[in-house]
Amino acid sequence: MEMRSWLLDDSPASRGQAAAGRAYRIGLDLMRNPLTVLGAAIIALLVLTAIFAPWIAPEAWDGQNLERRLLPPSAEHWMGTDQLGRDIFSRVIHGTRITLMIVALVAVISAPLGLLIGAVSGYFSGWTDRILMGVTDVFLSMPKLVLALAFAAALGPGIENAIIAIAITTWPAYARIARAETLTIRNAEFTDAARLLGASHTRVILRHVLPLCTSSMIIRVTLDMAGIILTAAGLGFLGLGAQPPAPEWGAMISGGRSFIFDQWWVSTMPGFAIITVSLGFCFLGDGLRDVLDPKSETKR
Amino acid sequence: MTDPSPSISLRNLDIAYGGVRVVQGVTFDVARGESFALVGESGSGKSTVLKALCGLAPEWTGTMQVLGQPGLHRPNRAMARRCQMVFQDPYGSLHPRKTVDAVLSEPLAIHGIGDRDERVEQALVDVGLDRRFRFRYPHQMSGGQRQRVAIARALMLEPEVMLLDEPTSALDVSVQAEILNLLKRLRAERGLTYLLVTHNLPVVSFLCERMAVMNKGRIVEIAQATALHDGSFTDPYSLALYAASGGNR
Amino acid sequence: MSLLSVENLNVSFPTPQGRVNVVENLSFELGQERLGIVGESGSGKSMTGRAILRLIRPPGRVDGRILLEGADLTGLGERQMRAIRGARISMIMQDPRYSLNPVMTVGRQIEEALWVHERLPRREMKARTRQMLEAVRINDPDRVARMYAHELSGGMGQRVMIAMMLIPRPRLLIADEPTSALDVSVQGDVLTLIDDLVRDTGMGLILISHDLPLVARYCDRILVMNSGRVVETCRASDLYNATHPYTRGLLAAVPKMHETRDWLPVMDRTT
Ligand SMILES: Nc1ncnc2c1ncn2[C@@H]1O[C@H](COP(=O)(O)OP(=O)(O)OP(=O)(O)O)[C@@H](O)[C@H]1O
Ligand SMILES: Nc1ncnc2c1ncn2[C@@H]1O[C@H](COP(=O)(O)OP(=O)(O)OP(=O)(O)O)[C@@H](O)[C@H]1O
Ligand SMILES: [Mg+2]
Ligand SMILES: [Mg+2]
C-alpha cells in the first residue's frame, strides 16, 4: 500500500519516482483488460521458456533415435516424435529461442530505423521528405512476403539472412507512421521553444519528437510481431530461413508435410506454437493500443 | 543605461508566411532596459514580429538588429542566451511528456551549465511555484501553473531581452498580478529589456513605458504609455481600442 | 426543471496524503441563464467544467450527481456520453490550438462538428461554416477555413474553437476562458454572439473566466471559487460590492488603465 501511494504520488520527489509512477499507471490500465493480461502472460511464458529451455525440455533438440520414429503423442512424448525419432515437445521448447531471437532482432533493427527515417522526413519536409518517402513507398508498394522472399533468396538461406530480409520489409511501415506523427508535432510550440533555447535539429528530433512517436510505434510493432513470426515461419517452411536440423517452427512444419495425413502431429504441434505466440502478441498489442493511444497519451 | 545603442531596432520590416505578407513596414526601437508594448487587433501580426526577432519566422526583409547583432533567419545558440521568448499558449509550449524538471533542466543541459538542481529549484521559487510541482507533467497543472513554468524556462538562461507573447492572458488576475510584479522586479534587478505583446491595455499601463499599436499588419501609432491616462491617441483605431478597453470612463 | 443541476460534485486526485479534492462539494442549479465561475488559477474551475462532461481521466475521480434536463449523467456509459458531448453540451476548452486537430484544415473540422449534428449537402455545410466564421469576426473566412491550426494566431484559434462549439447549437455551453487571447473589441463581439444564442435559443451558459469585469458584464450570476470550494455566490451586478475578502482580493489585483501603483496587491497563498 505504501509502495502504491508512492507510485501514484501526484507530486513526486524525484525523476525516478515520476517515471516509475507513469509506468505503474500504464501497467494498472493494462491489467484492466483480461485479454491483454492473457497476451502478456503468453509472451512472458515465451521469454521464460526461451531462457530456461535446456532445463524445461526433457531431451536435447537434436536427440535422434530412429527406433522411435513418428510416435503419436503420449505420456512419454507429449507431442509425439518426428521422422528422425526426435521428441517434438523438446524441439518446440528449444524453438522458442529462435522465434524470440527473430522477433527481437527484427524489432531492434527495423523499428528504430523506421522511426528515425520517418521522423527526419517529417521534420525537415521538402526535398529530404520527398526522397526518403519515395524510397519508403517503393518498398511499401510490394507485397511484404514476396519482398522478403526475394531478399532471402538473394542473400542465401540461413536464419541471419532471414532476419535481415524481414527487417528490410518491415521498416517502411514504421517510417510512414513516424512521419505522420512527426507532422503533427513539428509545428507545436514546444519544438519552437526548444529551438529557441539553442537546441540543434538533432536534439529536437531525438529528445522532443521521437519520444512522442514511440508509443504508437510500440503498439504497431507489437501488433506486427505475429506477422513477423509468420513470415519467419514461412521462410523456414520454404527452406529459405533456418536450416535443418535447427528446431525452427516453420522448418519443422515443412519437415512434417509429407506425412501430414497419417502423422498429423509432426506439423500440427509447431503450428500450435506459432498460433499461440502470434495470438499473444495480438492481444498485448490491442491492449497497448487502448492504453497508449497517442490521443489519450498527451493528457496522461 | 550606459550603452546608448538600442536593444532592438527594426526598420521597414516586412514578414511573410509562404509568400503571403502578414506584416508590413514595421519600424521601431526599444532602448536597453526599456519595456515596450505591442498591442492591437487579434491576427494583426504581433506574435509574428516576435517570432521574426528570434528567427522563427524566416521570411523577413528589411533591417533588424537585436543587441547589436544582425537579425536571424533561424534560431541560434549564441542568441539563445541573450534573447528568449515566452509563448502565447501555455498548453502548446510545454512538451506533454516532460516533467517540469526536465523542461527547466534542458536549457542548462544544452549550454552545459552546472548546478542544475539548485538552479531549477531557484527558478521555481522565482516564479512562485511550489516545490511539489517539480516532477509533475503539464497535464497535472492548471493553465496558470503551466505559464509560470514557461516563464521560468525562458529565465533559465538569464537573457537580456525577453520577448513576451501575452504572458498573462491565460492567467487569473491574482496570478497575473504576481507575474506582473515578478516581471517588474526582474527587470529592476537584472536590467532586462521587454518587448511585450498584449491586448490588455491596463497591463501596458502597469509595466511599460511606450507602446506601438498594430492593425492589419502595420503599426498605426507609437505612443507613450502615459497616453493611457488621458486617451491622447491620434489614430482612429487606437482611439477605438482605447474606448473599447474602458478608457475615458 | 432546471437545465443543469449539479449536486455535491467532488473531483479528487490521489496524493501521498490520500486523495485530495480539487473540487469539493460543489452544488449549483443552472436555468436558461448565464452563470459565471471565477477564481484564481488552480481553484478548480476547469475541473468543474470537465467533470460535467466526464472528461476527467483516471486516477482522477468524480463523485456527485449531475442532472441534465432531469436526466442523470453520472450513470451513463462512455458511448452515451459521447452522444451528449458536442450535441447537447459543448465545451470551449482553455487550450484552443491544442484542442484542434493539427493535420486537418480548420474548415473541415468545423464541418465535421456540424455533421455530427445534422446532415446537410456539402455546399450548404460550406456556407454554414463560412457564416459561423464570419460571426466570430474572422476576416477572410475562406482563407482561414483552408488553414491548419498552427497557422492561426492565438486569437484566431480561439475563435475557430468557439465557432466549432457553437455550430451544433448545444443546449448548454461551457466556455473555459473563451476570450483570453482576444482583443477587447473582438471579445465584445464574440460574447455578444454567445449572448444572442442564450437569448434566442434558450441555451444555458457557464462562463469560466478570471476576467472579473468581463464576467460581471456578461453573466447573470457568479460563483467565486477558491481551492475547490465556492466561497461566494452573488448576482453579477453586485460583484463590485462583494464582501468576501477573497473576492475583494481578486478585485484589487486587477490593474487599472490609470495605473500608478508600483506593485499590485497579491493574495496570501501560504496554504
Ligand atoms: N505559420 C503560419 N503560416 C501561415 N500564416 C500564418 C502562420 N502564422 C501566422 N499566420 C498568419 O499571420 C497573421 C498574423 O498572425 P499573428 O500570430 O502574428 O497574430 P497576432 O497579432 O499575434 O494575433 P493574436 O492576438 O490573435 O495572437 C494571421 O493572419 C495568421 O493567420
Ligand atoms: N492530473 C492531475 N493530478 C493532480 N492534480 C491535478 C491534475 N490535474 C489538475 N490538477 C490540479 O487541480 C487543480 C485545479 O485545476 P484546474 O485546471 O481546474 O484550475 P483552474 O481553476 O482552471 O485554473 P486556471 O485558471 O489556471 O486554468 C490545480 O491545482 C491542478 O494542479
Ligand atoms: Mg499572437
Ligand atoms: Mg483552467
Side-chain angles (χ1 to χ4, degrees):
Chain A
M1 202 57 226
E2 245 169 55
M3 185 70 187
R4 191 185 142 82
S5 61
W6 181 82
L7 283 167
L8 286 179
D9 189 347
D10 250 317
S11 318
S14 69
R15 258 156 244 171
Q17 190 183 355
R22 215 181 86 83
Y24 181 68
R25 261 172 226 154
I26 293 176
L28 276 188
D29 285 354
L30 281 176
M31 295 293 272
R32 260 185 228 130
N33 183 345
L35 276 185
T36 314
V37 177
L38 179 64
I42 292 174
I43 307 307
L45 196 67
L46 173 76
V47 173
L48 289 177
T49 312
I51 295 173
F52 298 109
W55 291 276
I56 297 172
E59 293 178 19
W61 56 273
D62 53 355
Q64 297 189 14
N65 183 349
L66 292 177
E67 281 167 24
R68 47 166 219 209
R69 293 178 63 218
L70 298 172
L71 294 181
S74 64
E76 202 180 333
H77 303 287
W78 292 359
M79 295 184 177
T81 60
D82 66 6
Q83 67 279 19
L84 295 174
R86 296 173 295 197
D87 181 42
I88 295 180
F89 178 64
S90 302
R91 283 174 65 75
V92 167
I93 295 287
H94 279 283
T96 54
R97 291 190 158 184
I98 298 181
T99 303
L100 200 63
M101 183 177 79
I102 295 175
V103 161
L105 281 179
V106 169
V108 165
I109 297 171
S110 65
L113 188 71
L115 203 55
L116 202 65
I117 290 179
V120 168
S121 179
Y123 182 78
F124 289 109
S125 65
W127 274 108
T128 326
D129 187 33
R130 249 168 276 167
I131 292 171
L132 286 177
M133 280 304 116
V135 175
T136 310
D137 284 342
V138 169
F139 277 91
L140 271 179
S141 62
M142 279 177 270
K144 253 191 194 171
L145 190 62
V146 175
L147 199 61
L149 266 178
F151 275 109
L155 295 167
I159 186 97
E160 302 81 13
N161 291 344
I163 290 171
I164 295 174
I166 300 174
I168 288 176
T169 57
T170 40
W171 72 263
Y174 303 146
R176 274 276 165 202
I177 299 176
R179 176 174 177 271
E181 293 260 308
T182 307
L183 285 181
T184 71
I185 302 164
R186 181 184 62 184
N187 296 313
E189 272 181 356
F190 59 81
T191 49
D192 282 348
R195 295 204 42 222
L196 267 194
L197 292 171
S200 59
H201 288 305
T202 321
R203 189 184 177 96
V204 173
I205 292 181
L206 291 181
R207 297 288 182 93
H208 294 255
V209 175
L210 286 189
L212 285 177
C213 301
T214 39
S215 35
S216 51
M217 198 57 58
I218 290 174
I219 296 163
R220 185 58 201 257
V221 169
T222 315
L223 286 172
D224 274 1
M225 283 302 174
I228 292 170
I229 292 172
L230 290 177
T231 313
L235 290 179
F237 182 84
L238 294 170
L240 288 169
Q243 295 302 300
E248 201 272 322
W249 295 345
M252 287 169 70
I253 296 179
S254 161
R257 74 173 185 271
S258 36
F259 20 87
I260 183 122
F261 294 111
D262 303 317
Q263 284 87 24
W264 53 269
W265 57 89
V266 182
S267 290
T268 313
M269 291 304 175
F272 270 140
I274 292 175
I275 290 176
T276 313
V277 173
S278 305
L279 271 184
F281 276 115
C282 282
F283 288 157
L284 185 64
D286 260 346
L288 283 174
R289 178 169 52 205
D290 292 344
V291 173
L292 290 182
D293 183 349
K295 289 197 196 69
S296 61
E297 180 71 356
T298 47
K299 309 267 179 191
R300 181 177 299 284
Chain B
M1 307 307 123
T2 47
D3 193 340
S5 74
S7 272
I8 298 172
S9 159
L10 304 178
R11 293 279 169 280
N12 277 320
L13 185 71
D14 287 4
I15 311 170
Y17 285 113
V20 182
R21 203 141 39 119
V22 297
V23 170
Q24 295 170 30
V26 165
T27 299
F28 63 80
D29 285 331
V30 183
R32 298 228 166 177
E34 191 186 14
S35 170
F36 189 90
L38 213 49
V39 301
E41 198 185 29
S42 167
S44 61
K46 308 181 294 293
S47 303
T48 304
V49 171
L50 296 202
K51 285 190 181 159
L53 277 167
C54 53
L56 288 172
E59 293 176 49
W60 56 265
T61 53
T63 333
M64 174 156 91
Q65 280 209 331
V66 183
L67 292 164
Q69 308 284 318
L72 303 168
H73 287 275
R74 74 168 83 104
N76 111 2
R77 258 175 78 97
M79 194 47 92
R81 300 197 64 158
R82 308 186 65 192
C83 171
Q84 275 296 324
M85 174 160 169
V86 174
F87 289 85
Q88 183 166 5
D89 174 4
Y91 288 87
S93 70
L94 297 181
H95 193 284
R97 293 269 294 277
K98 286 190 190 296
T99 59
V100 173
D101 177 67
V103 168
L104 298 185
S105 310
E106 175 149 41
L108 302 177
I110 292 173
H111 293 271
I113 301 171
D115 289 341
R116 293 194 203 152
D117 271 340
E118 290 95 273
R119 281 174 194 263
V120 169
E121 297 250 323
Q122 186 55 44
L124 288 177
V125 174
D126 281 347
V127 295
L129 273 181
D130 196 279
R131 292 189 42 184
R132 67 199 159 91
F133 285 98
R134 179 160 169 202
F135 294 100
R136 284 204 187 185
Y137 290 95
H139 72 267
Q140 295 173 317
M141 294 185 287
S142 76
Q145 291 159 346
R146 293 181 204 213
Q147 189 65 315
R148 282 188 267 181
V149 173
I151 292 176
R153 171 176 60 191
L155 287 171
M156 288 314 280
L157 294 175
E158 302 182 347
E160 296 157 56
V161 173
M162 291 271 277
L163 307 174
L164 303 160
D165 196 354
E166 309 204 5
T168 59
S169 73
L171 307 181
D172 74 275
V173 280
S174 71
V175 181
Q176 167 171 293
E178 277 173 33
I179 296 280
L180 291 177
N181 285 343
L182 169 76
L183 289 172
K184 202 166 195 175
R185 194 189 81 218
L186 288 169
R187 183 157 83 99
E189 285 172 6
R190 307 187 185 177
L192 295 172
T193 306
Y194 289 153
L195 177 53
L196 172 88
V197 168
T198 182
H199 53 254
N200 190 336
L201 294 183
V203 168
V204 177
S205 174
F206 177 71
L207 198 62
C208 301
E209 282 104 47
R210 286 194 304 145
M211 59 191 283
V213 184
M214 280 188 83
N215 186 17
K216 303 209 164 69
R218 295 176 183 279
I219 291 193
V220 294
E221 179 163 9
I222 295 182
Q224 295 293 322
T226 44
L228 292 168
H229 292 220
D230 47 15
S232 57
F233 293 99
T234 49
D235 183 82
Y237 177 75
S238 316
L239 285 167
L241 191 67
Y242 181 70
S245 300
N248 284 337
R249 236 194 289 140
Chain C
M1 179 177 52
S2 57
L3 181 59
L4 178 80
S5 106
V6 172
E7 293 166 23
N8 284 321
L9 183 72
N10 283 290
V11 179
S12 60
F13 285 95
T15 68
Q17 294 82 41
R19 292 192 85 85
V20 166
N21 284 325
V22 298
V23 176
E24 204 168 336
N25 278 331
L26 187 80
S27 302
F28 64 87
E29 298 264 325
L30 179 79
Q32 284 166 2
E33 58 173 339
R34 304 165 301 175
L35 176 74
I37 301 185
V38 298
E40 67 178 323
S41 170
S43 58
K45 307 183 296 292
S46 301
M47 286 297 149
T48 305
R50 297 182 77 100
I52 293 171
L53 278 171
R54 290 251 304 279
L55 286 172
I56 305 234
R57 284 165 199 282
R61 205 170 62 201
V62 183
D63 303 302
R65 262 155 61 90
I66 300 163
L67 303 171
L68 177 68
E69 299 184 307
D72 197 341
L73 296 188
T74 24
L76 295 188
E78 182 56 29
R79 169 169 284 150
Q80 290 154 303
M81 238 8 246
R82 228 174 288 154
I84 288 180
R85 281 180 212 137
R88 290 174 65 198
I89 312 182
S90 275
M91 178 160 176
I92 299 170
M93 299 279 188
Q94 201 174 356
D95 41 358
R97 280 192 292 180
Y98 206 50
S99 308
L100 291 171
N101 184 336
V103 289
M104 202 193 264
T105 61
V106 162
R108 272 289 303 287
Q109 288 181 64
I110 300 178
E111 282 168 34
E112 208 138 280
L114 179 60
W115 180 252
V116 175
H117 182 65
E118 54 186 317
R119 310 278 146 112
L120 294 173
R122 227 181 141 64
R123 282 259 308 285
E124 214 162 310
M125 295 252 284
K126 279 228 162 14
R128 283 278 292 273
T129 301
R130 200 198 133 91
Q131 222 177 355
M132 200 66 221
L133 284 174
E134 256 167 10
V136 291
R137 279 252 328 248
I138 297 255
N139 306 322
D140 201 353
D142 292 322
R143 186 175 68 102
V144 173
R146 285 193 307 271
M147 286 178 143
Y148 290 92
H150 74 272
E151 300 175 337
L152 303 174
S153 80
M156 287 156 82
Q158 242 175 9
R159 282 175 282 167
V160 166
M161 192 75 193
I162 294 172
M164 210 162 117
M165 290 300 140
L166 289 182
I167 205 164
R169 301 193 170 263
R171 297 290 299 132
L172 169 64
L173 178 71
I174 303 174
D176 193 356
E177 311 280 7
T179 57
S180 64
L182 300 179
D183 68 82
V184 268
S185 75
V186 177
Q187 186 174 60
D189 288 351
V190 167
L191 285 169
T192 308
L193 169 74
I194 295 180
D195 219 30
D196 290 346
L197 283 176
V198 172
R199 200 163 315 122
D200 301 345
T201 69
M203 179 178 80
L205 172 70
I206 299 181
L207 179 65
I208 299 174
S209 178
H210 51 250
D211 189 339
L212 296 172
L214 178 114
V215 174
R217 188 149 13 119
Y218 285 97
C219 290
D220 305 313
R221 215 149 50 88
I222 294 181
L223 298 182
V224 185
M225 282 183 77
N226 183 18
S227 48
R229 256 166 298 194
V230 174
V231 294
E232 185 161 11
T233 317
C234 60
R235 298 254 314 278
S237 45
D238 300 336
L239 182 65
Y240 291 102
N241 312 322
T243 48
H244 198 280
Y246 177 75
T247 319
R248 296 236 49 95
L250 282 180
L251 284 170
V254 183
K256 310 265 180 321
M257 190 68 90
H258 312 248
E259 195 55 74
T260 47
R261 292 176 286 186
D262 266 341
W263 303 106
L264 296 171
V266 297
M267 283 194 225
D268 185 18
R269 223 187 298 273
T270 38
T271 41

